[in-house]
Amino acid sequence: RKEVEQDPGPFNVPEGATVAFNCTYSNSASQSFFWYRQDCRKEPKLLMSVYSSGNEDGRFTAQLNRASQYISLLIRDSKLSDSATYLCVVNGRAAGNKLTFGGGTRVLVKP
Amino acid sequence: EAGVTQSPTHLIKTRGQQATLRCSPISGHTSVYWYQQALGLGLQFLLWYDEGEERNRGNFPPRFSGRQFPNYSSELNVNALELEDSALYLCASSLDRAISGANVLTFGAGSRLTVL
């Protein structure tokens, strides 16, 4: 089983719709969680950190479910510019500070 | 403030040659991470350097090596290049080594290595 798994997609989303997807992780000792965004042929950029209580940043909402070992990202009112690959990142101190990336979920927002 | 810079942007080598990639972290960042992203694949962790020392390495053969200099810049060396080493090599830096485990990475634009 991969350490961090994501549905590769693509998720085809009509503009203005809501899309949500999850990321599962295998190491129960994982302590930090992030979502990064990667545009085609560009470097990943931090979208948001994921806190235990869940957090929201504009149209983006991230949740953490420790019991089931997954994090989620929800995008409301999707814009064409939201088209990208969303990478889930997990860090566990037991893993020697190695941040492990999921394979990414591709989202395509269409007019 | 300058971001993470990587050089060269593109590099073409042939099988068996050696490649050297360079990374300058954001000023004040002491940790440097290297990742490999092959076409269509996710980011694979290669190496983590902090304060001049290798702290962790991913599941790659020993021909992938590197170092971190006193100014915190870093170099990734790939010896005896193979065709499957063709990939985008991303360097990232972070400020906090692991006090809280909450490392936020800032990536450079990457070096695209093509092995012919």
Side-chain angles (χ1 to χ4, degrees), chain B residues 46-58 64-68:
Chain B
L46 270 164
L47 290 158
W48 168 40
Y49 291 96
D50 185 78
E51 298 286 357
E53 292 190 20
E54 182 181 300
R55 302 292 182 179
N56 200 358
R57 69 177 290 129
F64 287 83
S65 65
R67 53 181 172 167
Q68 187 178 34

Side-chain angles (χ1 to χ4, degrees), chain A residues 48-57 60-64 72-73:
Chain A
M48 57 198 303
S49 302
V50 185
Y51 304 122
S52 296
S53 55
N55 48 303
E56 191 174 303
D57 183 1
F60 297 83
T61 300
Q63 298 277 359
L64 167 63
S72 63
L73 182 67

